[in-house]
Amino acid sequence: MTERFMIPRSVEWNDTHITILNQQKLPEETEYLELKEIEDVWDAISTLKVRGAPAIGMTAAYGLALAAQRYEASSMAEFKQQLHKDINYLASSRPTAVNLFWALNRLASSIGDAISVNEAKTMLVHEAIRIQVEDEDVCRRIGEHALSLFKDGDRILTICNAGSLATARYGTALAPFYLAKEKGVHLQVFASETRPVLQGARLTTWELMQAGVDVTLITDNMAAQTIYAKNISAVIVGADRIAANGDTANKIGTFGLALLAQSFGIPFYVAAPLSTIDLETKTGRDIPIEERNPEEVTHIAGKRIAPEGVEVYNPAFDVTPHELITAIITENGIIGENYEAELPALFEKSEQVG
Ligand code: MRU
């Protein structure tokens, strides 16, 4: 029997504003925010009201299209000048997820043929909408490929939130679980809470429970014991940026899970769209790793848990070396032999399909 699931959309275009589901407040509160100014968009991305690589890209694209509607440019040259200023501004909201820069560049390229400022404004909106529409299809295809790696009864560990909330729908690492549910295949998900901001505890469990997916929450330091005691058969994670050699930046804690997977001899999968692959970045060493506010570590839900004045190191991401990645699952298929050769080939496949 096919079951459909319904998770609220994290981002929506509404002509005069962008509506986002405030991911800071979940699961306690389902609060929607209207972003009307480009500064609101920058703030929403920077403070994780909207987060997850594809959702960041979608929101930035809508933010740019929204800002551009108000330009009073008298020529295309002036229009492009204002656009580039706003692109640089939005690009400064977060450094690691490449989807942000990918989406902004895609919007900039989309107005190449515009013959008037008004036409360019419309083209930007259409392109931003296209990014969101495509992402839903892309995520479903990632889910189909990923599901082919699992069998009924498998127990799978994940970290952070690479789900519907982080994308247009389905997610990347969580997509196979939604599709399994639709197809009546039983998979059990173990979700790592993901300190410091708890995207696993707050968001992954919430969205999977909404869809009736079997999910169990663990704290991050329970991963080894869980793999051992619960017979975890694989780890699957999302990605914020995949370098040309396959090294992958994802939420802090991912690298540790990859080392554990290697130790236990279980596969470690990365699920991500082509928009997360950055062939310009040669290796993981070249990926900028965001360091965030120490309060994310010294406080939990606004309450201080560490002594005042303590030194804090708070990297939001880590890089998993490609040697530890069993396979990268994309909308255009699964690769895992030689990332350096296979990653560019995935884009050629797209060109053939498109
Ligand atoms: O800091 P976040 O919450 O934006 O980090 C999100 C992640 O690391 C996700 O795993 C990644 O963006 C993939 S989302 C499909």
Side-chain angles (χ1 to χ4, degrees):
M1 195 181 71
T2 296
E3 287 189 52
R4 301 289 295 170
F5 77 98
M6 195 45 78
I7 308 291
R9 284 200 186 281
S10 50
V11 187
E12 212 170 73
W13 173 254
N14 291 102
D15 294 325
T16 55
H17 61 270
I18 306 159
T19 305
I20 62 159
L21 177 57
N22 185 355
Q23 297 192 38
Q24 266 184 355
K25 296 272 175 83
L26 285 172
E28 284 293 294
E29 253 180 80
T30 308
E31 176 187 75
Y32 290 92
L33 299 173
E34 291 187 358
L35 312 180
K36 295 186 174 141
E37 309 294 332
I38 192 167
E39 291 80 11
D40 301 339
V41 175
W42 190 96
D43 172 79
I45 294 172
S46 174
T47 61
L48 313 185
K49 293 185 180 92
V50 59
R51 32 68 49 206
I56 291 170
M58 281 167 356
T59 309
Y62 283 140
L64 186 65
L66 186 69
Q69 302 312 302
R70 301 208 194 125
Y71 297 167
E72 285 176 1
S74 54
S75 67
M76 274 307 289
E78 210 184 306
F79 184 84
K80 283 185 184 167
Q81 213 176 3
Q82 294 184 26
L83 194 73
H84 283 284
K85 195 171 124 275
D86 284 344
I87 286 176
N88 288 336
Y89 173 63
L90 287 170
S92 70
S93 55
R94 291 194 78 186
T96 305
V98 76
N99 304 60
L100 171 64
F101 315 107
W102 169 86
L104 292 170
N105 288 335
R106 184 166 152 174
L107 251 66
S109 308
S110 74
I111 57 162
D113 295 334
I115 49 167
S116 71
V117 163
N118 279 343
E119 192 189 10
K121 289 181 180 181
T122 309
M123 283 168 129
L124 288 174
V125 173
H126 287 173
E127 193 64 13
I129 292 171
R130 240 190 311 271
I131 287 176
Q132 184 165 25
V133 170
E134 282 173 18
D135 190 59
E136 179 167 338
D137 174 59
V138 159
C139 287
R140 194 174 168 101
R141 282 158 57 199
I142 290 172
E144 298 280 1
H145 289 302
L147 189 53
S148 72
L149 300 168
F150 302 142
K151 57 178 193 325
D152 196 66
D154 274 354
R155 295 166 169 191
I156 298 144
L157 178 60
T158 190
I159 186 168
C160 195
N161 174 267
S164 219
L165 290 167
T167 61
R169 194 170 142 90
Y170 297 107
T172 55
L174 299 192
F177 307 125
Y178 289 121
L179 298 192
K181 183 79 189 160
E182 282 182 14
K183 292 171 201 281
V185 174
H186 181 252
L187 298 177
Q188 191 178 356
V189 184
F190 284 79
S192 193
E193 68 175 350
T194 323
R195 275 279 284 149
V197 189
L198 302 171
Q199 293 95 329
R202 294 186 304 104
L203 307 175
T204 294
T205 57
W206 180 79
E207 65 162 86
L208 291 178
M209 287 170 79
Q210 304 267 312
V213 174
D214 185 348
V215 58
T216 302
L217 175 64
I218 60 165
T219 66
D220 296 343
N221 56 355
M222 294 173 186
Q225 169 64 12
T226 304
I227 294 174
Y228 166 73
K230 295 292 180 184
N231 247 325
I232 297 293
S233 50
V235 177
I236 188 166
V237 301
D240 290 87
R241 193 186 298 224
I242 300 174
N245 69 345
D247 293 351
T248 295
N250 191 52
K251 180 52 54 183
I252 191 74
T254 301
F255 181 19
L257 292 184
L259 288 167
L260 282 179
Q262 184 191 47
S263 248
F264 280 96
I266 60 171
F268 178 87
Y269 299 124
V270 170
L274 297 191
S275 53
T276 301
I277 298 169
D278 178 11
L279 297 179
E280 303 286 301
T281 296
K282 294 297 164 221
T283 75
R285 282 182 197 282
D286 308 313
I287 300 177
I289 298 296
E290 179 180 17
E291 285 187 37
R292 294 185 59 84
N293 191 330
E295 275 203 7
E296 290 181 353
V297 177
T298 56
H299 291 63
I300 294 183
K303 189 173 171 0
R304 173 173 285 283
I305 53 150
E308 196 117 23
V310 68
E311 280 298 320
V312 170
Y313 174 49
N314 184 19
F317 301 96
D318 56 28
V319 174
T320 301
H322 63 273
E323 301 86 359
L324 295 178
I325 301 170
T326 312
I328 296 177
I329 306 157
T330 73
E331 65 270 36
N332 280 355
I334 304 173
I335 56 168
E337 296 287 321
N338 172 355
Y339 295 119
E340 213 145 345
E342 288 171 302
L343 284 167
L346 287 173
F347 290 90
E348 284 156 29
K349 250 189 197 174
S350 291
E351 279 155 25
Q352 281 160 23
V353 174

